[in-house]
Amino acid sequence: MTGVPASTAGGSGRPVPGGKLGAAAVNQASLWNIANILTMVRLLLVPGFVALMLAGGGYDPAWRSLAWAAFAVAMITDLFDGHLARTYNLVTDFGKIADPIADKAIMGAALLCLSSLGELPWWVTGVILGRELGVTLLRFIVIRYGVIPASRGGKLKTLAQGTAVGMYVLALTGPLATLRFWVMAVAVVLTVVTGLDYVRQAVVLRRQGIAERRAQAADTLHAVDREAARVERVRAAEERTPAAPEPGPTGDPAGRAQATGVPAEGAASADPGTHERTDAPPEAAGSATRFAGERDTER
């Protein structure tokens, strides 16, 4: 009833001093869960990765190996933080915002570094980053109509991109350099295909959302019309029904007439004999008695 947990209230139902501070501490601590910590580690790895990638002129195999290690840690944490958040109910607003930012930050940093070093064509970087930013923008545009779910193709795209970029970061030579080219080609194809699929889903979701809103508006309009028609019928029925006469006092002949349905004149003359017996004066009653006696004597 008080909204305070039993542990905070000491089991007595009364909040103890500092109860609100304790609840606030619990809510604040929920931000520092393992999923959010992994996301923040990935964000902190971005500047470290860039520094390692460009150290020694950007072509030192030792520094590039360290940069690859930082990139690999970032990609692995990307696999675990979302899974932990969903499995253990650790989803927070901070995680919803920071997780996609961290993903795009580490991937964008790697692509920009590789293109600036001349190891990856700029158009590849443009296609991948353009797709990521475009999909994010689409999600925000159609969020009023619904959420575009992550597809299996999108997960394959992420895996292919991470593998290809990681192989480029290692500065491989020989057959492995040829292999990384084809892996990157697959990643680019998946990037374009899944991007077009997101556009298709966004268009379909928007059309469905608009159709549902129009249907709801039509239902609301029909309900208003039906209510207005009902009110009009009730008003017309009230106008056709005559008003009932107001009852008069009980002692009033008009009141008795209204109560019995007999006119006032009829009520007054309904039983003349009764009126003659009850309303005749005593002298008239005595004369009638004597008159009856005289007639008996004559007989």
Side-chain angles (χ1 to χ4, degrees):
M1 297 297 291
T2 60
V4 181
S7 58
T8 305
S12 61
R14 293 175 298 179
V16 298
K20 293 184 178 179
L21 294 177
V26 171
N27 294 333
Q28 184 67 20
S30 64
L31 176 65
W32 298 96
N33 58 62
I34 184 62
N36 288 343
I37 290 174
L38 292 177
T39 301
M40 287 184 280
V41 167
R42 193 159 71 254
L43 285 171
L44 294 175
L45 283 174
V46 174
F49 166 80
V50 173
L52 293 171
M53 187 72 181
L54 300 178
Y59 300 100
D60 189 335
W63 290 111
R64 294 285 288 267
S65 298
L66 293 175
W68 177 86
F71 181 81
V73 170
M75 297 305 295
I76 291 173
T77 57
D78 181 31
L79 295 176
F80 282 101
D81 60 355
H83 175 73
L84 290 173
R86 291 186 297 269
T87 303
Y88 297 100
N89 194 22
L90 302 176
V91 178
T92 61
D93 293 336
F94 172 80
K96 293 177 183 178
I97 298 174
D99 182 68
I101 292 177
D103 298 342
K104 293 170 179 57
I106 190 66
M107 184 61 67
L111 292 170
L112 291 174
C113 287
L114 290 172
S115 294
S116 64
L117 293 173
E119 298 188 13
L120 188 67
W122 278 104
W123 70 266
V124 174
T125 298
V127 168
I128 295 177
L129 294 183
R131 185 266 186 196
E132 299 300 329
L133 295 177
V135 167
T136 302
L137 182 61
L138 275 178
R139 289 179 180 273
F140 279 108
I141 291 176
V142 301
I143 195 172
R144 68 182 67 180
Y145 306 111
V147 177
I148 302 177
S151 63
R152 182 174 301 178
K155 296 178 181 179
L156 291 175
K157 178 269 307 177
T158 301
L159 179 62
Q161 284 183 359
T163 303
V165 171
M167 295 177 71
Y168 270 86
V169 169
L170 276 176
L172 301 174
T173 58
L176 292 178
T178 304
L179 177 62
R180 73 181 184 181
F181 170 81
W182 291 108
V183 174
M184 180 60 75
V186 172
V188 171
V189 171
L190 289 175
T191 298
V192 174
V193 172
T194 56
L196 294 176
D197 183 63
Y198 269 108
V199 173
R200 180 192 63 82
Q201 292 186 58
V203 172
V204 172
L205 186 61
R206 182 176 180 274
R207 288 178 178 175
Q208 292 177 349
I210 292 176
E212 290 177 358
R213 289 190 176 187
R214 288 179 177 175
Q216 292 177 357
D219 292 341
T220 303
L221 183 60
H222 291 332
V224 171
D225 291 341
R226 289 195 299 269
E227 181 64 18
R230 187 189 68 80
V231 172
E232 188 64 26
R233 289 195 300 270
V234 172
R235 184 180 301 172
E238 292 177 350
E239 291 177 354
R240 289 194 301 268
T241 303
E246 297 182 1
T250 55
D252 187 10
R256 292 197 303 270
Q258 293 176 2
T260 60
V262 181
E265 295 81 3
S269 59
D271 191 359
T274 304
H275 284 283
E276 290 179 356
R277 287 191 301 267
T278 57
D279 295 339
E283 295 80 2
S287 301
T289 302
R290 288 193 301 272
F291 179 74
E294 291 177 355
R295 292 185 61 182
D296 292 338
T297 304
E298 291 177 356
R299 289 178 185 176

